[in-house]
Amino acid sequence: MEDLKALRDDLLRKVQTAEEGGLQRLHQIKVWLKRVKTIESQFNDLDSSRTVELQRLCCCGVGSRNLRLSYDYGRRVFLMLNIVEDLKSKGIFEEVAHPATRAVGEERPLQPTIVGQETILEKAWDHLMDDGTKIMGLYGMGGVGKTTLLTQINNRFCDTDDGVEIVIWVVVSGDLQIHKIQKEIGEKIGFIGVEWNQKSENQKAVDILNFLSKKRFVLLLDDIWKRVELTEIGIPNPTSENGCKIAFTTRCQSVCASMGVHDPMEVRCLGADDAWDLFKKKVGDITLSSHPDIPEIARKVAQACCGLPLALNVIGETMACKKTTQEWDRAVDVSTTYAANFGAVKERILPILKYSYDNLESESVKTCFLYCSLFPEDDLIEKERLIDYWICEGFIDGDENKKGAVGEGYEILGTLVCASLLVEGGKFNNKSYVKMHDVVREMALWIASDLRKHKDNCIVRAGFRLNEIPKVKDWKVVSRMSLVNNRIKEIHGSPECPKLTTLFLQDNRHLVNISGEFFRSMPRLVVLDLSWNVNLSGLPDQISELVSLRYLDLSYSSIGRLPVGLLKLKKLMHLNLESMLCLESVSGIDHLSNLKTVRLLNLRMWLTISLLEELERLENLEVLTIEIISSSALEQLLCSHRLVRCLQKVSVKYLDEESVRILTLPSIGDLREVFIGGCGMRDIIIERNTSLTSPCFPNLSKVLITGCNGLKDLTWLLFAPNLTHLNVWNSRQIEEIISQEKASTADIVPFRKLEYLHLWDLPELKSIYWNPLPFPCLNQINVQNKCRKLTKLPLDSQSCIVAGEELVIQYGDEEWKERVEWEDKATRLRFLPSCKLVLCNR
């Protein structure tokens, strides 16, 4: 290794001398030096443990106290020696540098005003120029600035002496045609004329390959919509040896993966400061200073553009000649109520965004996308709820197989996220939600209204603070109406709505009454959402007139009794009664024979055995969420194979030790969430006839245990391999999360999918797990209040390596951090900086 480093130092002196003379180091020199740097780091790791390895030897070095470890170390030394010898043999260069060359390329025009791309430009440039990067993908929604970023990269290559010989720019677009791409490349490298044009695609590919194989090239592909077969075009594979690069832009993240790019860079909308800076520059100082009130009004217009550079540019240009406050006030009214009223938006922005919509693979996917515009601006939309809507609306066929229909729903969501038409993740990066960029939502509303030709087809007044139902010119043409999050107090009248299929009235917290006449003429209504109307205490019997209704959500309302007419809704598939704290009874639910989903969590009424018997009679039931507060009901539930098969979420509360000493759980394949609170059971175990090697709860993702003072461990969680969230609170006797003694018979590594672990007020807790765990997905550990005996976490220096974000360890006791015992020094150095004092109450 010393010989190799000496060879490297001599080579570096030669290179530096050549570079001082205006020459440029050869690419093969860069590659060799990088390999030496890598192997030097590996050698240092190996060398640092030599003393320990020598001490392991015995019998004058002939034997070892641990043959396996000594053999492994010896093998690594032997391999390292071969690599070093190989690098030494390849480190003799007759020539180390050549005259600097400037890439042959075409500098492309840029718009004069570019704001907020400095950081991502440098990040993208550094990533592309890294020797390990062959292909780079840039993705993001339409109008966000991907082409501008790629243009800046193109122009930088043209201005930089970096050894690149040719830069080729090709606009691919949605209509991908190999011969058109070959024609553009051919023109850049000198293949022109009748003879070239008459060649077949295969012959052109050979010509392009032969030419580019001898060049260090950069290929920039703008606006690709699906995988581009580079070999069919004739593009050589970029490698570290040839130094060639390929970069592309796309709206779809999935395209990046199809191109072999698994770490693409997302181009995002501008932050508030950069957006305002760009808007100011487009409007101009003269206009902004033409009246003292205009700058403040202009900020509101800029905010309506939501950081989208294309919108800021176009609307900024539109407003550059508006020098009266009346014009700017009008702009605020239009932009905040319905941005598509801007002529410039319709003409330039929305058609560009619509291209993403037009390229969706099917009409059902397009319909599902447009449906998302019914929700309020910036609303987080729960994925499962959205899929339930889609199934009941008939966008997805849910008649045969609920699991398959839900899978199709998630596939559609994935398609929309990859197309940058939806954004995944809510608070704390919760992947259970999606949201719509505001400008994309405007585009969806524009399309839903048939490009504004039929505005009353789809009426969306979500979050408008309405005090009453809006006046509609012609109710007969309305197909969907969304009045979410308003201040409507009473709903009267009898509108004739022969085409209405969707009615969103949720989150009108002042709503107290809906007249019976209102539902009389809605024969095609399929979805009715009345959730979160916390002051709504009753429904009229005329709800029975909704003969086509499939989806009814009354959750979080104050309704005390269900109307008799509700039991006549024979087509009803989905009924959500969760958190209806005033509800007295759901007796007669078995009359709704078509029900597939029934949600009964968090009700104050007792779940009786007779109600469980009614639920068992629902032959089409597929999804059940339920709350149990009596031991007899729990026994009845767990003995019913039909109901257990349907269980998705279950809450068990207030069972004392006398009624349930040991809770025995059967295998529940579709169970997603479990809450156990205020119970006195001594243990939770798995049924004996269940295999200890197979997951009993393959879909269980969230568990909350609180106030269970008889439990000493939660070893049953071994059989929940996909658990993502675990909360254990206020349980005085819990000593271990996973008991080493109980788990000895099960060869299972737990918590491989765990993302969030919250431990609160567990005075006897000493161990989460007895050995370090890999925790490939763990993002946060939160240890709060009276967990003083927990002095060691199951972590080592290799834990959480795969997790996308650095682990955060939050603690509530200032002394806890000092008491923690780390696995070793490397573990301490790795995770101690991640510890943060956070005082909280759950």
Side-chain angles (χ1 to χ4, degrees), residues 462-477:
F464 274 46
R465 299 188 176 185
L466 300 177
N467 293 315
E468 58 184 11
I469 295 286
K471 295 179 181 179
V472 178
K473 186 176 181 180
D474 186 1
W475 279 98
K476 293 181 180 179
V477 302

Side-chain angles (χ1 to χ4, degrees), residues 590-609:
D590 57 341
H591 289 80
L592 302 172
S593 58
N594 208 38
L595 275 178
K596 293 189 174 185
T597 298
V598 178
R599 300 190 181 275
L600 299 173
L601 270 181
N602 197 26
L603 302 178
R604 284 188 180 169
M605 58 173 244
W606 279 64
L607 189 72
T608 62
I609 291 178

Side-chain angles (χ1 to χ4, degrees), residues 79 173 282 349 365 378 444 462 468 555 598 601 639 766 769:
L79 293 174
S173 72
K282 299 306 292 185
I349 295 177
V365 175
D378 296 322
E468 58 184 11
S555 60
V598 178
L601 270 181
C639 288
K766 298 171 185 173
Y769 195 76

Side-chain angles (χ1 to χ4, degrees), residues 602-741:
N602 197 26
L603 302 178
R604 284 188 180 169
M605 58 173 244
W606 279 64
L607 189 72
T608 62
I609 291 178
S610 62
L611 176 57
L612 285 170
E613 291 172 348
E614 285 193 46
L615 292 172
E616 285 190 80
R617 289 195 286 270
L618 294 173
E619 296 183 357
N620 295 304
L621 189 64
E622 295 175 335
V623 174
L624 176 64
T625 68
I626 202 164
E627 181 170 298
I628 301 293
I629 53 177
S630 79
S631 57
S632 57
L634 178 63
E635 182 179 359
Q636 176 85 3
L637 174 67
L638 296 181
C639 288
S640 170
H641 295 297
R642 176 190 290 276
L643 296 183
V644 165
R645 190 180 67 246
C646 300
L647 268 184
Q648 196 174 85
K649 299 178 184 179
V650 63
S651 172
V652 179
K653 293 181 181 179
Y654 315 131
L655 303 184
D656 55 32
E657 181 184 351
E658 286 72 26
S659 59
V660 179
R661 184 175 179 83
I662 296 177
L663 175 58
T664 303
L665 296 175
S667 178
I668 309 176
D670 204 35
L671 188 63
R672 311 292 175 82
E673 297 182 20
V674 169
F675 172 84
I676 302 176
C679 294
M681 74 272 295
R682 292 288 177 177
D683 203 356
I684 301 174
I685 62 174
I686 309 299
E687 276 188 352
R688 290 181 180 178
N689 60 355
T690 302
S691 169
L692 292 180
T693 58
S694 61
C696 304
F697 313 105
N699 290 297
L700 183 59
S701 61
K702 296 180 181 179
V703 171
L704 170 56
I705 308 288
T706 181
C708 295
N709 293 319
L711 294 175
K712 292 195 173 184
D713 64 81
L714 301 173
T715 307
W716 67 278
L717 294 175
L718 280 174
F719 306 102
N722 293 304
L723 189 68
T724 61
H725 290 68
L726 175 58
N727 297 270
V728 188
W729 301 342
N730 191 28
S731 298
R732 292 196 302 265
Q733 293 193 49
I734 286 186
E735 298 176 0
E736 304 168 284
I737 300 301
I738 304 295
S739 165
Q740 184 173 5
E741 179 183 354

Side-chain angles (χ1 to χ4, degrees), residues 27 182 213 281 291 324 366 480 510 558 632 635 672 811:
H27 186 68
Q182 289 177 328
S213 295
K281 290 178 178 178
H291 191 283
T324 67
K366 291 178 180 179
R480 294 198 172 92
H510 298 277
S558 296
S632 57
E635 182 179 359
R672 311 292 175 82
Y811 60 98

